[in-house]
Amino acid sequence: MSEKYEPSQVEDKFYKIWEERGYFEIDGNKSIWKTDANGKQKTFSIMMPPPNVTGSLHIGHALTFTLQDIITRYKRMDGFKTLWQPGTDHAGIATQNVVEKQLLAEGTTKEEIGREKFLERAWKQKETSGGNIVHQMRKLGVTPAWKRERFTMDEGLKEAVKEAFISLYNEGHITQNNYMVNWCTHDGALSDIEVEHEEVNGKFYHMIYKFADGSGELQVATTRPETYFGDTAIMVHPDDERYKSIVGKEVLLPLTERKIKVITDSHVDMEFGTGVVKVTPAHDQNDYEVGKRHDLEFIKVFDEKGILNEYCGEFAGLERLEARPVIVKALEEAGYIVKIEEHIHQVGHCYRCKNIVEPFISQQWFLSSEMAQESIRKTKETTKERAATGEHNGTLFHPAHWINSYTAWMDELRPWCISRQLWWGHRIPVFTCDDCDHQWADKADEPECCPKCGGKHYTQDPDVLDTWFSSALWAMSPLGWGNNGKLKELYNDTDEADFYPNSLLITGFDIMFFWVARMMMMGEHFKKQLPFEDIYMHALVRDEHGAKMSKSKGNVIDPLDMVNEHSADIIRFTLAYLCVQGRDIKLGAKNLEQFRNFTNKLYNASNFLQLNVETFKDLNEIKIETPLGIWMRNRLANAVDDVRDALETYKFNEAASILYKFVWTEFCDWGIEYSKASKESISELGAIFKETLKLISPFMPFISDYLYHKLSGTSLEDGADSLMIMNFPDNITIHGVYDNLFEYIQEAIVSIRRAKTLIDMGNSKIAKAYVKCNFLSKDSSKILSEAVAKPFIEKLAKVENIEFVTAKVENSITDVSDNLEVYIPTGEIDMTPIISKLTKQQEKLEKEIAKLSGMLNNEKFVANAPANVLEENRAGLASAEDKLAKVVAELKSLS
């Protein structure tokens, strides 16, 4: 037999068989479906967070998909009608950026080829790269219902998006307004959560504004001098006594001489800088609100691409950031710059292209925050009810603390800017009549006529919807909601009833507001139910030192490289084992090596069993009769209950830890060792090990399937069923008669081994040892227990004869443990070399103690020696004295 399991020869082959047999689909496990107490079919549903079609599998994906696959496989094996819905996201900004870069490399632009040709290129890009991440997911061994795979711009989901938009539009929740938005000069409008704020080293520019009447000047500081052409007021605090006399006066804008007034507003911080602030309502969020309060003019000084306009005089035509040093130089030469200071401040960047984001007034489509209020109320109410009843582990979010983050964000919710100035995405289904200016929303791509005047000439809004708008429908749209009969082959008529609300959502905490909160608001609004029964938020995967992974640091771990080097099973088990709720994962080579050893342990256990018995029956097909078999089945039963409890509460790390401990310590370290003294139990242990492989299957599906069939004498390739559609272990019979006994047997073996090391016979066989037991009270059980225990202790402790006693045995080496004492008689052992060795140790320790004591009793040494040296010497003396006491005690016992 091979000494090593070869995953490369198993994983791709097994995965192909599983998929071809339809195991991943809803009815793939139909033979083991179960009903609940009311006779209703048990169902489980979970939606895959759809990865971008431009992306590739990163370690965060690997964690998400692994956890989803573990819980899906568990529910599938537990008899649930199971849907794990797969899909990919069109990723508006990301995909458009990729295609635009391709066009630039070819010497052209999207504007030159036009919208229609550009969209053809985007679809081609989706087809080319979209399958890449799906292929990578398969390598990880994940098992979603691939035949139902959806794309957020497929025909059915396009219908769902229009259904949602038009409904919200007609209800008045979607409106078009001129409003200040986050603006990327490359990607257009962004929502608040698409802006990443980073600390940058900037500058404070102190500028002079002269009074129009020539009576003096004011000093104002700004971090963005290129926007001052849009100033429409100077502002001071109404309570600031320093500036009472100048309120209402006019100042001249540097270089342009345009007049603006000095106003008062309580927004000003009197303690910061000079207490004088310029107001640029069209290019600053706070100034925008001031401008509305004071009815100021809103002057935009650059266009959508960031190019300065005619308000900027001689600087018109320059790009806003490139213009800054040019404008500052001109201001300095004209004497308008007093000083320039270094200044660290937060600057918003586009989450996709990292361009600096501008506050910019633009006509956009917004979704009212009002439509989210019921979902917010229900989320809080559900969380409170579960905390009171303990249902669902007492929480909606797992870990429970995420409700605080959710509530803090949602309580401050602002209207969501849902329009994007892109070509790739869901086109906004709003049309404007060219004849009567009537605006309406329509499901048809080309409406017949204007519903108001009947005119045939109309224009569709050129923008597309934010990618997250279609993703916000993901809990229900793949189930057929709003699909209007399109792509019916991908879903069933009963799917909404069977699988909504989704049983569980598993995703990273970083997209809670991008995605989770928005699914909550859309699901509740349209289905009148929150979309998830439970929400599990996992943390980040970091490197082994706790640093965030990034290409610039060179610490990125590619999960596909790990699969190729180790195996999908090892990656999956490692991620699950390390995934403690609420804590970031530190992933390093040592973790992967640890679980490589675990797969070897499984394989070696299988090989050992087959050295003795060729094939094994399943646990439910045999009668367990040997004491060892009964004990080991009890241990398995406990592990099954504990793994089930852990998985039901999404404590994946606890489930993996329980499995690891049971397999490594209980089954292999002790069960297999015990079997060397109980050959008749091996057929029973084989059946128990096969049941263990079912327990392991959701975590390590490949090796568990492989070993199960190896031990059964069957073959997956030849038609035998996979573990993934067999019953997950449950309700295993427990007979507790031997449980304590085997604990004491283990204690006796360890105790004898310890005693043998005292006489340098740790691995040697000895003739006799005595065990004084404190745990046997009844004569009948004592006789039975001694008969059971004797062969195990003799075999594993390497003693020819064990005798059970009730009193201390004189002239013996003694070891005392919690429940028993063991004695090794010294009469037949030549103790001379052992006593000689201990005597030499005693002499050496006495010399060391004398030396250290002398130094520490020397006042001069103590006065001059560094504190750390004194501490080391004191610790050394204490250690030597402790060792000496033990050696003296051993010598005394031997003599």
Side-chain angles (χ1 to χ4, degrees), residues 82 264 278 356 401 532 547 566 820:
T82 303
T264 63
K278 70 188 194 72
I356 290 178
H401 68 78
F532 311 108
H566 297 281
L820 50 83

Side-chain angles (χ1 to χ4, degrees), residues 5-8 11 139-141 559-574 592 595-596 599 700 702-703:
Y5 169 65
E6 297 291 348
S8 60
E11 294 188 345
K139 293 291 287 183
L140 199 61
L560 267 294
D561 289 345
M562 292 196 297
V563 168
N564 292 331
E565 183 180 350
H566 297 281
S567 77
D569 284 330
I570 291 172
I571 307 313
R572 293 163 61 99
F573 198 83
T574 303
L592 296 165
F595 298 111
R596 179 199 292 277
T599 60
M700 307 177 85
F702 295 104
I703 192 170

Side-chain angles (χ1 to χ4, degrees), residues 534-787:
D534 287 291
I535 300 169
Y536 177 94
M537 312 289 287
H538 66 70
L540 292 176
V541 184
R542 298 179 178 272
D543 71 13
E544 58 191 320
H545 305 295
K548 192 172 181 179
M549 292 185 189
S550 69
K551 290 179 181 176
S552 60
K553 291 179 184 174
N555 64 346
V556 172
I557 294 177
D558 185 326
L560 267 294
D561 289 345
M562 292 196 297
V563 168
N564 292 331
E565 183 180 350
H566 297 281
S567 77
D569 284 330
I570 291 172
I571 307 313
R572 293 163 61 99
F573 198 83
T574 303
L575 290 170
Y577 191 91
L578 298 176
C579 189
V580 180
Q581 281 191 14
R583 286 193 212 162
D584 287 344
I585 289 174
K586 293 181 183 179
L587 179 62
K590 67 179 186 300
N591 306 116
L592 296 165
E593 194 59 39
Q594 176 184 0
F595 298 111
R596 179 199 292 277
N597 294 338
F598 185 56
T599 60
N600 292 340
K601 199 80 167 175
L602 289 168
Y603 191 67
N604 292 338
S606 173
N607 282 350
F608 171 82
L609 291 167
Q610 287 191 304
L611 285 173
N612 298 276
V613 178
E614 191 173 342
T615 60
F616 300 86
K617 292 183 178 181
D618 271 17
L619 188 57
N620 63 354
E621 296 173 343
I622 68 168
K623 189 174 182 181
I624 304 293
E625 296 178 309
T626 68
L628 175 56
I630 292 170
W631 175 72
M632 187 51 67
R633 184 180 59 187
N634 290 352
R635 305 313 303 150
L636 173 64
N638 290 336
V640 166
D641 291 346
D642 292 345
V643 167
R644 280 181 165 274
D645 287 347
L647 287 176
E648 291 293 344
T649 53
Y650 316 122
K651 295 185 175 76
F652 296 96
N653 66 300
E654 287 186 15
S657 179
I658 292 158
L659 283 171
Y660 185 85
K661 180 186 174 188
F662 173 73
V663 169
W664 192 289
T665 305
E666 295 185 312
F667 190 88
C668 293
D669 284 1
W670 286 106
I672 284 181
E673 285 300 298
Y674 284 146
S675 74
K676 294 171 184 176
S678 177
K679 295 292 185 183
E680 67 277 12
S681 68
I682 289 180
S683 59
E684 297 175 353
L685 292 185
I688 291 166
F689 189 64
K690 285 176 64 179
E691 199 71 9
T692 302
L693 292 170
K694 293 178 186 177
L695 201 61
I696 294 169
S697 178
F699 296 82
M700 307 177 85
F702 295 104
I703 192 170
S704 56
D705 233 358
Y706 174 81
L707 293 179
Y708 177 86
H709 289 295
K710 181 171 176 283
L711 291 167
S712 302
T714 54
S715 167
L716 188 70
E717 299 94 312
D718 293 337
D721 282 342
S722 166
L723 285 183
M724 65 182 292
I725 59 162
M726 294 184 188
N727 284 303
F728 195 80
D730 194 13
N731 296 323
I732 294 175
T733 304
I734 291 183
H735 292 300
V737 63
Y738 294 118
D739 270 10
N740 289 340
L741 178 61
F742 274 91
E743 299 299 321
Y744 298 136
I745 291 171
Q746 182 178 325
E747 190 175 339
I749 292 165
V750 171
S751 190
I752 291 170
R753 287 173 177 173
R754 208 161 41 221
K756 285 166 67 179
T757 60
L758 295 176
I759 52 175
D760 279 351
M761 299 187 74
N763 204 36
S764 302
K765 193 164 190 176
I766 61 173
K768 185 85 172 179
Y770 299 91
V771 179
K772 178 174 173 283
C773 309
N774 304 322
F775 56 89
L776 299 174
S777 55
K778 295 179 183 177
D779 288 341
S780 58
S781 66
K782 178 177 179 181
I783 294 167
L784 173 63
S785 298
E786 289 181 0

Side-chain angles (χ1 to χ4, degrees), residues 519-537:
M519 283 194 289
M520 302 281 271
M521 66 175 74
M522 290 291 201
E524 193 288 323
H525 184 79
F526 289 110
K527 298 285 290 179
K528 306 308 176 189
Q529 279 181 290
L530 293 178
F532 311 108
E533 292 176 6
D534 287 291
I535 300 169
Y536 177 94
M537 312 289 287

Side-chain angles (χ1 to χ4, degrees), residues 20-32:
E20 286 174 349
R21 291 186 187 172
Y23 288 155
F24 308 166
E25 307 306 319
I26 286 177
D27 58 356
N29 66 330
K30 194 169 185 177
S31 61
I32 58 169

Side-chain angles (χ1 to χ4, degrees), residues 136 148 156 337 414 526 565 678 767:
Q136 293 172 322
R148 297 172 54 111
I337 297 286
R414 299 200 310 165
F526 289 110
E565 183 180 350
S678 177

